[in-house]
Amino acid sequence: MLKDFELWFITGSQHLYGPETLEQVAKHSQAIASELDKSKELPVKVVFKPVVKTAEEIYEVVVEANNTPACIGIITWMHTFSPAKMWISGLNALQKPFLHLHTQYNRDLPWSEIDMDFMNLNQAAHGDREFGYMSSRLRLQRKVIVGHWQDAEVQRQIGVWSRAAAGWQEMQTLKVARFGDNMRNVAVTEGDKVDAQIKLGFTVHGFGIGDLLEEINRVSDADIDSLVEKIEKEYQVADELKKGGARHESLRESAKIETGLRSFLDKGGFKAFTTTFEDLHGLKQLPGFAVQRLMADGYGFGAEGDWKTAALLRAMKVMSEGLTGGTSFMEDYTYHFHPDGQKVLGSHMLEVCESIAEKQPVVEIHPLGIGGKEDPIRSIFTVKPGQAINASVVDMGNRFRLIVNEVEVVPLDMPMPKLPVASALWVPKPNLNIGASAWILAGGAHHTVFSQNISAECMECFAEMADIEYLLIDDNTSLFDFKKELKWNNMYYHMQQRI
């Protein structure tokens, strides 16, 4: 869907410089917008908009951006000096994320030819500072990127920001279906859904498991046959689950659940959902394999009623479109505390997305000690070694907090033949001791969104767009400084509370 999104490139100037200079400004702006639009670093379109020279023109283009669903944000640049009082009404009206690109058309100074005509035309060095002052005076969240527009690093940074903007856009219309309630007595998966809608945009809709069962029971045998045939072609399916096998009916039941669940979500326009193993009345098995396959198709998911993680996963799925690697629901499950290398084994009962699988998953059936239902189907795999992040959104009472921990996925020390679930083994940065301590001090959830392709940089951009607290745990984290950051943030957000 990213190819349908647009960033509007808006250049500021004024009538002071005359028509000849303004013609050059427009020409240069078009060239920059066209170059960015063609860049492989940007997954979305970049659209040139006419140079704005008055407060009226600025306000009109901002309102147009607000009312254009395809526009997910604006890029601003002051080619010349653009008196910033002209921008007040427009910036006050802006409802989309914006990026301030501090660049200039020419990369190098024309040393032997530079004159005052050149100086009058190329004033971004101080024109952007004037614009920056007004943006700061208005207390606006924005991204500032400095450098020449043809530089690969500049284009990479714009691309990262554009992915965060796409995720933010998705949040504004996202509907999360919540089957059953929260897992009983669990704290971190709860939260203020009204405040989440006000702050983050998405809505949470609760349904009894009976509503889902009605849709599942409408699934035809022909639809089940079709999906089972597809599964047997796409996976290494255990013999006992194949047609004619002793437990083939369990695979058919999983296919029935998936078809009904997918139909329910699609009919209601839901792109994320939650389940809980404490509310399975009428279901024959926990919908594990169905959830894995739906996540692989881009749906957000949160176990045990975790609607915040479900929404974040969906947004990050959108952000990651076209990138190598995957993004999944995850949980820090158990530790390897050996002194030669302390590690985390990440997994869940069943629901880990196949997009992060290193090799083709195998489909098997095994007992599950909780839920009180028939043995569930699941796909089993391990995750490819490499860099990744774990991200968590938690409700701190007076604000939402986004916590990100960079991790390094490593190979298994030894095979785990008796663990029939998808799993990943990683080392949190800077190490397990500091990483886990910082996560716990920050109140990070036990559920996370694990991503091989979305960076901490992208998540920081997302947090700025949402105007929520952001905490990063990485190689540079020290607990001494991290504790101070938590104290400063608590004071800041206490002073910022709505009255």
Side-chain angles (χ1 to χ4, degrees):
M1 62 188 296
L2 296 188
K3 68 183 188 308
D4 298 323
F5 287 150
E6 299 174 352
L7 295 176
W8 287 10
F9 192 86
I10 301 172
T11 305
S13 188
Q14 59 178 323
H15 284 294
L16 176 68
Y17 304 108
E20 185 176 333
T21 297
L22 290 175
E23 184 178 332
Q24 282 291 98
V25 169
K27 183 179 178 181
H28 291 172
S29 299
Q30 284 179 298
I32 295 174
S34 177
E35 176 83 7
L36 294 179
D37 184 54
K38 291 184 291 187
S39 172
K40 294 181 180 179
E41 296 288 346
L42 276 70
V44 302
K45 300 174 185 175
V46 177
V47 178
F48 166 78
K49 304 304 287 186
V51 176
V52 290
K53 306 167 291 296
T54 66
E56 293 75 18
E57 291 176 355
I58 294 168
Y59 182 80
E60 287 172 5
V61 73
V62 166
V63 171
E64 184 185 2
N66 289 341
N67 295 327
T68 303
C71 176
I72 61 172
I74 66 172
I75 301 174
T76 58
W77 172 49
M78 307 302 115
H79 192 319
T80 63
F81 196 81
S82 179
K85 287 200 292 184
M86 296 194 309
W87 285 87
I88 293 175
S89 60
L91 290 177
N92 275 332
L94 183 62
Q95 298 172 357
K96 299 287 177 82
F98 90 93
L99 183 156
H100 182 187
L101 179 59
H102 185 41
T103 190
Q104 63 184 27
Y105 181 72
N106 59 295
R107 190 194 69 179
D108 304 325
L109 285 174
W111 302 101
S112 62
E113 299 178 7
I114 189 169
D115 56 19
M116 284 310 301
D117 288 338
F118 180 92
M119 300 282 275
N120 284 332
L121 176 61
N122 298 282
Q123 298 187 51
H126 60 286
D128 277 329
R129 282 172 166 79
E130 166 78 355
F131 178 78
Y133 162 74
M134 186 53 66
S135 300
S136 295
R137 175 73 181 269
L138 294 173
R139 310 294 194 268
L140 296 178
Q141 294 288 347
R142 79 278 193 193
K143 176 74 172 180
V144 178
I145 296 177
V146 180
H148 193 255
W149 50 280
Q150 290 179 315
D151 185 81
E153 175 59 18
V154 168
Q155 293 185 9
R156 185 200 67 79
Q157 290 182 51
I158 298 174
V160 169
W161 182 86
S162 71
R163 289 186 177 277
W168 177 245
Q169 178 79 358
E170 176 67 13
M171 278 281 200
Q172 306 318 296
T173 58
L174 178 62
K175 295 170 63 179
V176 180
R178 198 170 189 230
F179 298 110
D181 197 6
N182 199 62
M183 191 169 76
R184 300 180 190 106
N185 294 316
V186 177
V188 76
T189 51
E190 290 279 19
D192 189 333
K193 302 182 192 71
V194 174
D195 208 36
Q197 185 173 350
I198 293 170
K199 193 68 178 175
L200 299 169
F202 67 89
T203 56
V204 182
H205 304 255
F207 297 95
I209 200 69
D211 297 315
L212 175 58
L213 275 170
E214 285 185 3
E215 195 67 31
I216 291 173
N217 290 333
R218 281 195 282 264
V219 175
S220 68
D221 286 340
D223 288 337
I224 296 173
D225 292 339
S226 177
L227 181 53
V228 168
E229 182 179 354
K230 181 180 180 183
I231 289 170
E232 290 192 12
K233 288 180 180 178
E234 293 181 355
Y235 297 85
Q236 300 178 49
V237 179
D239 290 340
E240 63 180 333
L241 294 175
K242 292 179 179 178
K243 189 172 183 179
R247 310 196 72 177
H248 181 64
E249 284 304 313
S250 293
L251 180 59
R252 290 182 60 81
E253 184 63 29
S254 176
K256 181 180 179 181
I257 292 172
E258 177 185 337
T259 304
L261 177 54
R262 189 184 296 270
S263 176
F264 187 101
L265 297 173
D266 291 349
K267 285 180 179 179
F270 300 104
K271 296 180 182 177
F273 65 102
T274 72
T275 62
T276 169
F277 60 79
E278 286 187 327
D279 194 350
L280 298 172
H281 183 73
L283 288 177
K284 292 184 178 180
Q285 60 178 259
L286 185 69
F289 187 38
V291 171
Q292 290 180 291
R293 285 176 46 78
L294 284 163
M295 278 194 288
D297 286 340
Y299 291 87
F301 172 75
E304 294 123 41
D306 190 351
W307 49 271
K308 296 186 294 297
T309 300
L312 183 63
L313 175 55
R314 170 58 188 173
M316 291 174 67
K317 288 278 191 182
V318 171
M319 294 181 206
S320 66
E321 182 182 315
L323 297 177
T324 302
T327 299
S328 174
F329 174 80
M330 186 58 74
E331 181 171 277
D332 294 64
Y333 220 101
T334 191
Y335 290 137
H336 181 64
F337 270 137
H338 195 282
D340 290 342
Q342 299 185 356
K343 303 161 189 173
V344 178
L345 183 64
S347 185
H348 204 253
M349 297 180 300
L350 301 172
E351 307 99 340
V352 178
C353 179
E354 297 166 354
S355 66
I356 63 174
E358 181 175 16
K359 299 178 181 178
Q360 183 188 38
V362 298
V363 177
E364 298 179 357
I365 183 169
H366 296 274
L368 186 67
I370 57 178
K373 296 294 179 178
E374 296 177 2
D375 298 344
I377 308 295
R378 76 285 303 276
S379 65
I380 304 169
F381 54 86
T382 54
V383 177
K384 181 180 180 180
Q387 302 299 313
I389 65 168
N390 276 313
S392 171
V393 171
V394 293
D395 186 342
M396 297 303 294
N398 64 342
R399 82 271 193 188
F400 289 98
R401 171 182 282 173
L402 175 60
I403 310 159
V404 173
N405 187 191
E406 294 182 342
V407 304
E408 182 180 357
V409 180
V410 295
L412 298 178
D413 291 16
M414 298 177 64
M416 301 183 295
K418 294 184 178 181
L419 185 66
V421 292
S423 62
L425 186 68
W426 66 74
V427 178
K429 294 186 178 181
N431 54 53
L432 178 54
N433 183 298
I434 295 175
S437 295
W439 189 272
I440 290 170
L441 287 167
H446 58 285
H447 291 163
T448 63
V449 178
F450 170 92
S451 182
Q452 300 165 316
N453 46 32
I454 294 298
S455 64
E457 178 185 2
C458 188
M459 298 310 297
E460 180 184 5
C461 292
F462 178 83
E464 289 173 348
M465 292 171 192
D467 193 19
I468 62 175
E469 184 182 6
Y470 175 76
L471 293 170
L472 174 63
I473 305 168
D474 64 2
D475 271 331
N476 298 316
T477 298
S478 77
L479 289 179
F480 180 76
D481 291 333
F482 194 79
K483 290 176 183 178
K484 288 193 292 185
E485 184 178 2
L486 290 173
K487 291 178 181 178
W488 296 334
N489 287 4
N490 283 335
M491 179 62 70
Y492 171 80
Y493 283 100
H494 176 73
M495 295 174 65
Q496 291 294 317
Q497 285 188 79
R498 294 189 295 270
I499 298 175

